[in-house]
């Protein structure tokens, strides 16, 4: 097992919460190599926590340990777990849906409940609101430093018990591709959909084609336009929209050197839908 320990949370960096988790980890082993996915996940947004793990973990060395703390149910009866993925990474997290995207993409080999009688920071048993520090950072550090084995995390759970979020499916109807806007490429305001590139290629959509795009929020259309399908942002003029294949090989929507999300007030999640089809060709008589 590597000594890599990677954190993500919705804590932000405005106070000492993340630093406290680092401190706990280093107290377990000063040799741990600590890194971050992000600490800017919107508060309580379990879906985004799940997605960011899907976006990230594959690119880390095998046996990297990830600690993900987006935990609106902290102190409740929800379980604390460590999951081992098919590509040999470990995810330390509350069992609240955070494992959804990894379970659906790479798959989970085994999940164990954290035995807090053994794997909990000393003298923290009267604290019920900071399991990120007291349970997850501590257990993650013990696992990454080889202080404990995966089997010593706690009892094995049935994979069917693990909580999964609803993730919308992509549909194809009369050559109209219907998908979901899962998340933003936050810094640049690009929309990342759940539409795999193969839906385009199977429909014979080629780079340079003009497509009709409509976006809906709670079944209300909030955007409709035609745009080109390009390999990169350079395939269109500054300020113009385009469709492209993002780094996860899903279809993205962007404004060249602008924020599509800000320009059109686009939201993400299960209520944010997108339809894409080839634009009708104009025939001049």
């Amino acid at each position: 097992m590597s000594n890599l320990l990677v954190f993500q949370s919705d804590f932000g960096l405005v106070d000492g919460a993340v630093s406290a988790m680092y401190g706990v980890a280093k107290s377990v082993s000063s040799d741990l190599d600590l890194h971050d996915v992000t600490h800017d996940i919107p508060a309580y947004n379990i879906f985004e926590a799940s997605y960011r793990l899907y976006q990230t973990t594959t690119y880390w060395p095998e046996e990297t340990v990830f600690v993900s703390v987006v935990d609106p149910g902290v102190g409740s009866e929800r379980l604390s777990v460590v999951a081992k993925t098919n590509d040999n990474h470990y995810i330390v997290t509350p069992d609240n849906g955070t494992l959804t995207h990894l379970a659906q993409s790479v798959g989970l080999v085994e999940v164990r409940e954290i035995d807090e009688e053994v794997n909990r920071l000393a003298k923290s048993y009267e604290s019920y609101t900071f399991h990120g520090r007291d349970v997850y950072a501590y257990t993650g550090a013990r696992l990454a430093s080889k202080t404990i084995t995966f089997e010593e995390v706690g009892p094995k759970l049935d994979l069917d018990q693990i909580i999964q979020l609803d993730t919308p499916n992509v549909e194809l109807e009369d050559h109209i591709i219907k998908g979901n806007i899962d998340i933003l490429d936050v810094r640049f305001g690009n929309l990342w959909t759940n539409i795999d590139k193969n839906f385009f290629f199977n429909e014979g959509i080629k780079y340079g084609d003009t497509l009709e795009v409509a976006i809906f929020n709670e079944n209300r259309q909030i955007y409709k336009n035609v745009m080109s399908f390009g390999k990169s942002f350079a395939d269109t003029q500054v300020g113009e929209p385009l469709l492209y294949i993002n780094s996860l090989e899903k279809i993205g929507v962007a404004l060249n050197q602008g924020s599509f999300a800000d320009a059109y007030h686009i939201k993400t999640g299960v209520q944010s839908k997108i339809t894409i089809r080839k634009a009708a060709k104009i025939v001049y008589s």
Side-chain angles (χ1 to χ4, degrees), residues 8-216:
Q8 78 166 10
S9 75
D10 57 355
F11 296 162
L13 296 174
V14 295
D15 60 20
V18 172
S19 181
M21 291 197 297
Y22 289 172
V24 167
K26 284 291 189 179
S27 295
V28 170
S29 173
S30 61
D31 292 330
L32 286 172
D33 191 4
L34 307 184
H35 298 272
D36 300 302
V37 177
T38 179
H39 294 288
D40 288 326
I41 290 172
Y44 319 122
N45 193 325
I46 298 167
F47 185 94
E48 184 154 335
S50 174
Y51 196 100
R52 295 305 179 196
L53 290 174
Y54 159 63
Q55 179 186 354
T56 305
T57 59
T58 301
Y59 302 99
W60 284 82
E62 289 190 28
E63 298 192 326
T64 298
V65 177
F66 294 84
V67 172
S68 179
V69 192
V70 176
D71 192 14
V74 63
S76 69
E77 294 301 312
R78 62 95 186 93
L79 299 181
S80 297
V81 300
V82 180
K84 183 177 181 180
T85 66
N86 270 322
D87 56 359
N88 207 19
H89 296 105
Y90 296 90
I91 317 297
V92 186
T93 186
D95 178 30
N96 59 9
T98 298
L99 295 170
T100 299
H101 284 87
L102 289 179
Q104 294 177 358
S105 55
V106 299
L108 306 180
V109 174
E110 191 173 309
V111 179
R112 290 182 174 270
E113 181 181 356
I114 297 174
D115 181 357
E116 294 187 24
E117 294 294 324
V118 179
N119 294 303
R120 182 174 176 133
L121 185 67
K123 300 180 181 179
S124 69
Y125 284 91
E126 294 304 318
S127 175
Y128 298 98
T129 60
F130 199 178
H131 287 177
R133 176 196 65 194
D134 301 335
V135 179
Y136 303 133
Y138 183 70
T139 301
R142 281 162 61 80
L143 188 60
S145 65
K146 307 177 185 63
T147 304
I148 58 171
T149 65
F150 179 54
E151 290 71 23
E152 291 174 310
V153 164
K156 184 177 177 179
L157 297 173
D158 187 334
L159 290 177
D160 292 338
Q161 290 182 249
I162 303 306
I163 292 174
Q164 299 227 8
L165 305 174
D166 290 331
T167 53
N169 294 319
V170 180
E171 298 178 357
L172 181 63
E173 183 178 337
D174 295 329
H175 302 291
I176 300 173
I177 303 169
K178 299 180 178 182
N180 196 69
I181 300 171
D182 280 348
I183 209 160
L184 299 182
D185 182 3
V186 178
R187 177 74 171 175
F188 301 103
N190 304 331
L191 316 182
W192 282 15
T193 76
N194 65 336
I195 301 169
D196 187 86
K197 64 179 182 180
N198 289 325
F199 279 92
F200 270 33
F201 298 148
N202 291 341
E203 281 297 294
I205 298 171
K206 302 182 295 294
Y207 292 118
D209 283 352
T210 299
L211 304 173
E212 181 182 287
V213 176
I215 296 173
F216 304 83

Side-chain angles (χ1 to χ4, degrees), residues 244-272:
Y244 68 103
I245 297 174
N246 70 16
S247 59
L248 297 178
E249 302 198 325
K250 307 288 187 182
I251 300 301
V253 188
L255 281 180
N256 189 2
Q257 296 187 35
S259 171
F260 197 104
D262 288 346
Y264 299 104
H265 310 289
I266 305 297
K267 297 179 180 180
T268 62
V270 295
Q271 297 299 323
S272 192

Side-chain angles (χ1 to χ4, degrees), residues 214-222 271-275:
I215 296 173
F216 304 83
N217 184 51
E218 295 182 344
N219 297 318
R220 180 174 63 88
Q221 182 176 295
I222 57 176
Q271 297 299 323
S272 192
K273 307 296 183 183
I274 184 169
T275 64

